[in-house]
Amino acid sequence: MPTFRAPRGTRDLLPADRAPFTRLERIARDLALRYGYHEMETPLFEQGAVFERGIGEATDVVEKELFRVAPSRGEERERWALRPEATAGICRAYVEHGMQTWPQPVRLTLTGPMFRYDRPQAGRYRQFWQWDVEAIGDPGPAVDAELVVLGARFYREAGLDDVEVLLNSIGDATCRPAYVAELAAYFRRHEAALPDVERARLATSPLRLLDSKEPAMAALVAAAPKITDRLCEACAAHFAAVRDHLDALGIPYRIEPALVRGLDYYTRTAFEFYRHGAEGQQQALGGGGRYDGLVELLGGKPTPGIGFALGLDRVVLALEAAGADAAPVGTPIAVVVGADPADTAGRLAVATRLRDAGLAVGADLSARRLGRQLEAAVRDGARFAVILGDELGDGAVQLRDLDAAAQKLVLVDDLVALLRRKSAG
RNA sequence: GUGGCCUUAGCUCAAUCGGCAGAGCAUCGGAUUGUGGCUCCGAAGGUUACGGGUUCAAGCCCCGUAGGCCACCCCA
């Protein structure tokens, strides 16, 4: 029984688990760079108010899932919170560093852990990894389309070709309040027909009834007023333009009028990346949208923005479910082994020389017998073993090809060049 | 936060009705003192998640807690 365990909802990513994340992070980084986005970092924690004000006091993320932390000593009265998502922190940084003076829009991206104090489940953790992309400072619909394309492209390159783009517009301060009121009134007229769960939600968040999982709600939701029919002129034009841009790019998407996102800051364009998985699988692989009021909420000038976040943990799970081959783990080209159990210095010296020359080389520094060392080298995936023995007195070693089970005497001075050629070919 | 199912060695799992806690894989060592993948032998590894209760006796029955999974809630 281990005395200590990883905290609930967190887990250790052992080398084999870490490998697919490394692969996805590389794809994300390369892709972002190709699309002109610049990598940055924000702190893993912020003043709680950044999230409370940015994401919204009444959202689930802030109300029940915020991971609050406080220093155990010191004068600080400030309450801190681990970031539950990246957008609010990035916008805080945008304001703090005066990025409105940079050429607009500012295209930013980051990858890292997020934290939500939620009840864990497969694909839902208290610490999880997101790739986040933001374009701040451009009000136009074209950049909306750029982001959707970038996200969709990521899944393709990662190896998931059945990810669907769900698209909606949730209006802005001009048209949304009226729509929400109309929707609430509609459901109140049918209150008697509502399941208990939904009647309770009606008071707090009428929009949520739209994506209810209650079968009894299907007909009611289908007949409910649609936000897409109630958009103000500006929002409707924006939405149409986003669709035109996607159509022009040949990006398939599905209009989903029931798509409402859980954070208060969203305006207009909202989208989600969705994959029909096996039962019980988390199917929302990522999502994003426009947040034209967020920067101002955080103390900046009125500035439009749009972004998305993709859950890397869920992509890894989806890849496994799709039967994708596990990403190969980095393996050394050779392992240095020794016949003399006492001569660890010689093994380390030869290995260091090869490593300093840029080769990926393991070193067996154990006192076990040569056969065991070779066995371990094979298990490590090495193609060659550099065997140190009496020949070392003449400056030579045995270079053994572990696949062919053949070896030859080689001068230590020639090793680097030889292995370089082998690892290149 | 609500409800259901689950938890035995590092991993995957056995253990009849409540009656001596086991196997395979992995690890380490030996057969083989300078040559691997196969084989053989051996060692180590357990407070049966944790705490309590019932019983002559609990891995097994009961209660509580923790963790995992699932359905909600919500979301990545």
Side-chain angles (χ1 to χ4, degrees), chain A residues 1 24 37 162 183 189 215 251 264 287 325 346 387 421-422:
Chain A
M1 213 36 45
L24 292 179
Y37 288 74
D162 54 352
L183 188 69
R189 277 201 303 280
I251 301 295
D264 280 357
D325 291 334
I387 305 171
R421 209 175 317 139
K422 299 289 192 187

Side-chain angles (χ1 to χ4, degrees), chain A residues 232-403:
Chain A
C232 61
E233 210 170 308
C235 284
H238 186 94
F239 189 41
V242 172
R243 296 193 317 256
D244 287 345
H245 280 87
L246 289 174
D247 292 339
L249 289 164
I251 301 295
Y253 58 89
R254 183 153 61 87
I255 302 288
E256 181 48 73
L259 175 64
V260 277
R261 310 221 9 106
L263 314 181
D264 280 357
Y265 56 59
Y266 283 114
T267 54
R268 294 192 170 172
T269 309
F271 54 98
E272 201 161 274
F273 299 102
Y274 188 90
R275 178 174 184 274
H276 292 273
E279 194 178 343
Q281 206 168 335
Q282 303 294 334
Q283 302 180 323
L285 296 189
R290 183 162 275 284
Y291 46 83
D292 290 344
L294 180 55
V295 170
E296 190 177 5
L297 269 179
L298 294 174
K301 294 179 182 160
T303 309
I306 179 164
F308 66 74
L310 307 191
L312 298 184
D313 310 78
R314 290 186 180 177
V315 173
V316 170
L317 284 174
L319 283 168
E320 282 169 9
D325 291 334
V329 185
T331 52
I333 174 89
V335 174
V336 178
V337 301
D340 176 2
D343 185 26
T344 47
R347 279 176 257 166
L348 198 51
V350 172
T352 300
R353 192 163 156 187
L354 298 174
R355 289 161 170 173
D356 287 352
L359 294 160
V361 168
D364 195 321
L365 303 177
S366 75
R368 51 194 171 178
R369 64 166 209 265
L370 188 56
R372 299 280 187 209
Q373 294 184 43
L374 288 170
E375 194 179 330
V378 171
R379 293 275 276 280
D380 233 25
R383 281 175 55 202
F384 297 95
V386 175
I387 305 171
L388 274 52
D390 296 336
E391 311 89 325
L392 206 52
D394 305 322
V397 297
Q398 295 286 351
L399 180 63
R400 181 174 182 82
D401 184 324
L402 291 169
D403 299 324

Side-chain angles (χ1 to χ4, degrees), chain A residues 51 55 61 65-66 82-86 114-116 128 130:
Chain A
F51 306 120
I55 297 169
V61 168
E65 295 171 7
L66 210 55
L82 301 181
R83 62 184 188 191
E85 51 98 61
M114 307 294 158
F115 305 84
R116 289 183 198 177
F128 56 101
Q130 282 189 340

Side-chain angles (χ1 to χ4, degrees), chain A residues 21-213:
Chain A
F21 278 86
T22 303
R23 182 180 153 264
L24 292 179
E25 283 169 2
R26 281 195 187 129
I27 292 172
R29 195 166 288 131
D30 290 353
L31 204 48
L33 195 67
R34 257 193 278 154
Y35 276 67
Y37 288 74
H38 304 284
E39 194 170 24
M40 70 169 296
E41 296 287 343
T42 67
L44 298 198
F45 60 96
E46 299 267 358
Q47 293 179 45
V50 169
F51 306 120
E52 289 158 8
R53 203 179 299 175
I55 297 169
E57 302 267 9
T59 58
D60 277 21
V61 168
V62 166
E63 206 166 68
K64 44 183 248 200
E65 295 171 7
L66 210 55
F67 226 120
R68 297 188 186 271
V69 290
S72 58
R73 52 177 299 171
E75 297 306 307
E76 288 175 311
R77 296 274 160 78
E78 213 71 65
R79 276 279 185 280
W80 309 96
L82 301 181
R83 62 184 188 191
E85 51 98 61
T87 307
I90 290 176
C91 287
R92 188 226 82 228
Y94 179 95
V95 174
E96 179 173 342
H97 301 284
M99 292 189 209
Q100 73 277 0
T101 68
W102 299 9
Q104 304 290 299
V106 180
R107 291 180 161 91
L108 300 167
T109 181
L110 68 80
T111 302
M114 307 294 158
F115 305 84
R116 289 183 198 177
Y117 190 79
D118 200 357
R119 185 133 167 189
Q121 222 168 298
R124 193 172 72 186
Y125 309 101
R126 289 182 173 181
Q127 177 178 344
F128 56 101
W129 274 261
Q130 282 189 340
W131 173 42
D132 186 90
V133 185
E134 312 287 346
I136 308 175
D138 186 343
V143 72
D144 300 30
E146 177 180 272
L147 268 295
V148 171
V149 171
L150 176 52
R153 186 74 208 165
F154 171 81
Y155 295 110
R156 287 257 309 277
E157 296 204 2
L160 291 174
D161 44 16
D162 54 352
V163 175
E164 202 178 4
V165 175
L166 305 185
L167 187 69
N168 194 22
S169 173
I170 57 171
D172 64 7
T174 311
C175 46
R176 181 148 54 144
Y179 169 71
V180 174
E182 183 186 350
L183 188 69
Y186 166 81
F187 281 122
R188 261 196 301 277
R189 277 201 303 280
H190 297 88
E191 200 162 352
L194 296 179
D196 292 347
V197 210
E198 306 300 349
R199 200 169 308 128
R201 293 162 86 194
L202 181 53
T204 55
S205 46
L207 282 175
R208 296 249 150 257
L209 301 210
L210 288 177
D211 60 350
S212 167
K213 278 157 193 150

